[in-house]
């Protein structure tokens, strides 16, 4: 069975963010960093080369595949900010109040934070984190 590519690293999250060339993406990452730290109470960890995760849990599928993943996190990609959260589609009323975004799987895609309501985004992140922490914290 192949090994997971997405694993925590010892690389500095701050150095990763500071190295971004796009000013908007860098400042948006600073805001998200503060939101996730406040909600989760976990320090940020760079997973792979571009994912910023908070907290972690171990999973094991019936197939035998297992690994570790973060409870909540984001990645400041070139196209958009990818925010990793589960269950966001169960809250269409919140998504309707969020602002300009796209969804896919367990991701929420936002071009820039000025496109969305940060209070609604924070609520969605908190709901997702609480769900993951409650159901996967060992």
């Amino acid at each position: 069975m192949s090994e997971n590519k997405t694993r925590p690293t010892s690389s500095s999250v701050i150095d990763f963010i500071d190295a971004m060339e796009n000013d908007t993406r860098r400042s948006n990452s600073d805001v998200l960093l503060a939101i996730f730290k406040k909600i989760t109470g976990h320090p940020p960890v760079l997973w792979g080369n571009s994912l910023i995760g908070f907290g972690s849990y171990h999973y094991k599928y019936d197939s035998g595949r297992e690994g570790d993943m973060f409870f909540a996190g984001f990645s400041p990609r070139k196209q958009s900010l990818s925010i990793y959260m589960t269950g966001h589609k169960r809250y269409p009323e919140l998504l309707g109040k969020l602002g300009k975004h796209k969804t896919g799987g367990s991701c929420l895609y936002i071009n820039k934070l000025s496109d969305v309501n940060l209070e609604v985004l924070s609520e969605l992140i908190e709901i997702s984190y609480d769900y993951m922490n409650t159901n996967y914290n060992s």
Side-chain angles (χ1 to χ4, degrees):
M1 202 165 292
S2 65
E3 208 169 288
N4 291 342
K5 294 178 186 175
T6 305
R7 293 185 295 203
T9 71
S10 59
S11 298
S12 167
V13 170
I14 300 302
D15 289 349
F16 169 69
I17 291 172
D18 287 347
M20 291 178 199
E21 293 179 13
N22 183 297
D23 291 339
T24 302
R25 192 68 75 225
R26 188 173 48 253
S27 65
N28 283 190
S29 295
D30 287 336
V31 171
L32 285 175
L33 197 63
I35 290 171
F36 275 93
K37 284 165 90 173
K38 180 180 179 186
I39 290 170
T40 68
H42 293 285
V45 173
L46 193 64
W47 289 65
N49 60 6
S50 66
L51 303 172
I52 300 170
F54 299 82
S56 67
Y57 65 99
H58 188 78
Y59 63 86
K60 185 171 184 177
Y61 296 134
D62 290 340
S63 66
R65 182 178 182 84
E66 61 183 302
D68 297 299
M69 186 48 72
F70 48 82
F71 284 127
F74 70 96
S75 181
R77 304 204 184 270
K78 282 188 178 187
Q79 287 290 91
S80 61
L81 296 163
S82 298
I83 300 174
Y84 300 92
M85 59 175 65
T86 57
H88 60 278
K89 293 181 182 177
R90 291 183 295 209
Y91 299 95
E93 69 283 358
L94 287 175
L95 288 174
K97 295 176 185 176
L98 180 61
K100 187 178 175 184
H101 71 279
K102 293 180 183 178
T103 61
S106 60
C107 287
L108 185 65
Y109 303 103
I110 298 169
N111 289 334
K112 56 190 178 303
L113 291 181
S114 61
D115 289 340
V116 298
N117 180 319
L118 289 181
E119 287 181 23
V120 173
L121 178 60
S122 295
E123 188 173 352
L124 285 164
I125 292 168
E126 187 168 6
I127 288 168
S128 176
Y129 172 74
D130 287 346
Y131 173 83
M132 294 301 293
N133 191 39
T134 299
N135 290 287
Y136 295 95
N137 199 355
S138 33

